[in-house]
Amino acid sequence: MKKFLIFLSLVLLLSSCNLWDEYIVREADWDSYELFLIGKDKPVMKVLTVENAVDEEDLRTPSAKLNRADICSDEYAVLVGKMIATVKAEDGVGLAAPQVDIRRRMVAVQRMDKFGGPFEIYPNIRIVKTYGDPVCGPEGCLSVPGKHGDVPRYQDIKIRYTSPRTLRDTSERVLGYVAVIFQHECGHLDGIIYTDKAVSVTDDE
């Protein structure tokens, strides 16, 4: 009976986090600087900009994946809230974790294609397929203040990310302007800024 209760407890624990395919869960691996930034009392985070040489170097650094323990952690939940609060405070439509000095593959995107236009977080996001030809359109960036540019982007893409609810890979087809936001933010995760791809960049009026 005791062995059965232990087994039942294990079953409940694994099913609660959907970890049947990963019995041993790695510990969260946030580094001390990330914990400092996530744990600060301020509800919003500083956005790095290319106007600062140190900031730009950080923005050019590719981001690391989050493991399952990271996504299940209290720190992740706090970071989600702060990223959404930050992008709203900056009147933006998207924000990548490296823009707030957290070098993880994680973006916040305003889903204008959904009712109410909610901001949603996508850990371990990547673009796995594009459809059609890129189209040039206007673009700006919180990390490149005072400028805007024309950037060729696909209007139809397929994204893949780790679902925060199931902790499993999830794919989704995204169209139009929201697809452009995803491409912009995913670029940040690889150290790419929209000005790298722009056909022209001009100062805001």
Side-chain angles (χ1 to χ4, degrees):
M1 183 65 178
K2 184 177 180 180
K3 288 183 179 179
F4 173 76
L5 291 175
I6 292 173
F7 173 75
L8 181 60
S9 297
L10 179 61
V11 168
L12 293 173
L13 176 62
L14 292 172
S15 60
S16 67
C17 282
N18 291 288
L19 297 177
W20 289 104
D21 57 341
E22 189 172 317
Y23 290 93
I24 299 175
V25 183
R26 289 183 292 163
E27 293 182 358
D29 64 358
W30 304 104
D31 66 33
S32 57
Y33 182 62
E34 288 173 328
L35 291 174
F36 168 73
L37 290 178
I38 296 169
K40 288 177 69 176
D41 293 334
K42 292 183 179 180
V44 298
M45 305 177 79
K46 174 192 171 185
V47 177
L48 305 185
T49 75
V50 296
E51 295 177 329
N52 181 292
V54 175
D55 284 3
E56 181 170 9
E57 184 177 351
D58 290 337
L59 287 167
R60 294 294 186 180
T61 303
S63 299
K65 289 184 66 175
L66 297 104
N67 66 36
R68 294 183 171 195
D70 296 331
I71 298 171
C72 286
S73 69
D74 292 340
E75 290 80 11
Y76 175 84
V78 173
L79 181 57
V80 165
K82 288 191 174 185
M83 283 184 62
I84 292 175
T86 300
V87 69
K88 287 182 174 180
E90 296 285 346
D91 199 25
V93 294
L95 184 73
Q99 289 181 274
V100 290
D101 217 5
I102 303 293
R103 298 174 199 171
R104 300 302 179 112
R105 295 195 68 86
M106 177 177 171
V107 303
V109 170
Q110 186 174 13
R111 294 304 301 263
M112 298 174 183
D113 53 345
K114 295 185 178 182
F115 179 75
F119 280 91
E120 296 181 351
I121 298 287
Y122 296 84
N124 297 328
I125 179 77
R126 59 194 187 278
I127 296 167
V128 295
K129 195 167 184 180
T130 60
Y131 305 87
D133 297 318
V135 177
C136 268
E139 214 161 302
C141 181
L142 300 179
S143 292
V144 188
K147 296 184 181 296
H148 63 277
D150 287 320
V151 188
R153 300 287 192 188
Y154 294 95
Q155 303 295 303
D156 186 353
I157 64 172
K158 184 177 183 180
I159 60 172
R160 188 166 294 153
Y161 57 94
T162 302
S163 167
R165 184 176 62 84
T166 67
L167 300 179
R168 298 183 184 279
D169 276 355
T170 302
S171 297
E172 184 179 346
R173 192 92 169 254
V174 186
L175 307 174
Y177 183 52
V178 177
V180 172
I181 301 172
F182 272 109
Q183 290 166 83
H184 179 113
E185 302 308 333
C186 286
H188 280 298
L189 303 181
D190 296 318
I192 298 169
I193 299 172
Y194 86 90
T195 51
D196 300 335
K197 294 180 172 291
V199 295
S200 65
V201 178
T202 56
D203 293 335
D204 293 340
E205 295 181 356

